Amino acid sequence: MNENEEIVREAERLSEQAEDSRALYEVKMSFLGRTGKVTSLMKRMKEIAQELRPAFGKEVNALRERLEALFAAREERVKERELARRLAREKVDVTMPGRRSRTGALHPVTKVKEELIDIFSGMGFEVFEGPEIENDYYNFTALNTPADHPARDMQDTFYLGEGLLLRTQTSAGQIRFMEKRKPPFKMLSPGRVFRSDDDATHSPMFHQMEGLVVDRGVTLCDLKGMLDEFARTMFSASSRTRLRPSYFPFTEPSVEVDVSCASCGGKGCPLCKGTGWIEVLGAGMVNRRVLENCGVDPDEYTGFAFGMGIERIAMLKYGINNIKLLTENDTRFLEQFKD
Ligand code: DAH
């Protein structure tokens, strides 16, 4: 009996010292575990006289129960303390100001390019991208551009040597596309182009969007209808287009397309230089020689093509007066295009 009281007191003392549940578990095992004190008491049963054994067994069981209750209560307190400590450690100050993350914005050229793709894919156009490094055949010859055409001049085109050049127009993609695909089709081809040109409205690198539609019975009216739709969506619901005769080697007839000035509604203002119209792109009926160069029978199929400068559209749409703003990437400029 005395020995039991001593064991209980020792268990109380040791468990009081145990700081965490791991240490407490070890103390508990040193009493109640397989090699613990209580278990070894039980093993002393055989050394005891037969008639004292039931009373002895009862004592040891009572001791075991007291210890179990003691450890259970102690365990509960240790767990509470551990939880409190963890909550204190992991406390979040919800009143602390957050770290601000700065979001970017799409570049105006990217925005206009995506908007163009949206408008024309809605009319059934598929997007095709040609290479930026081209050869003379795709950029000029197949597009019916004569050997003495000024665009071929060293002053206008960046030649890379070995018959290669930086494409000066996405029109080169027309040929690559038609070599692979038989009509009917509607193709849209965005991309960077390069010209030896540099002032407030010209940059040595800029973006174009090319369109090409070939089918039986395609006419200039189809072109006009699609361009009207494009102008209404890109600029304003009341925008109109007009075609003026022009010349491109790869189209016949060729036109320059004006859009009614969205700034003055066509009455005339400084932006449209008093004319009420702004030139936005070149277009025309695909020259039969171009179709022939790509193995398309011009007596069976006709087509129209158009090409526009994406920077130019962006400048008109957003009232940007210098093309350099689009390549300087000053964040004070770019941030104005956040949606
Ligand atoms: N490639 C011409 C240029 O860069 C633009 C152009 C004009 C494209 C007429 C066409 C077109 O597809 O039909 O100035």
Side-chain angles (χ1 to χ4, degrees), residues 168-184:
T168 62
Q169 48 187 0
T170 45
S171 306
Q174 291 188 22
I175 308 300
R176 291 197 177 267
F177 187 83
M178 279 194 281
E179 278 181 353
K180 286 203 211 71
R181 286 283 302 275
K182 294 293 146 227

Side-chain angles (χ1 to χ4, degrees), residues 168-169 171 174 195 208 210-211 248 250-251 282-284 305-307:
T168 62
Q169 48 187 0
S171 306
Q174 291 188 22
R195 287 182 201 179
Q208 280 189 334
E210 191 83 11
F248 299 103
F250 35 90
T251 44
F306 60 84

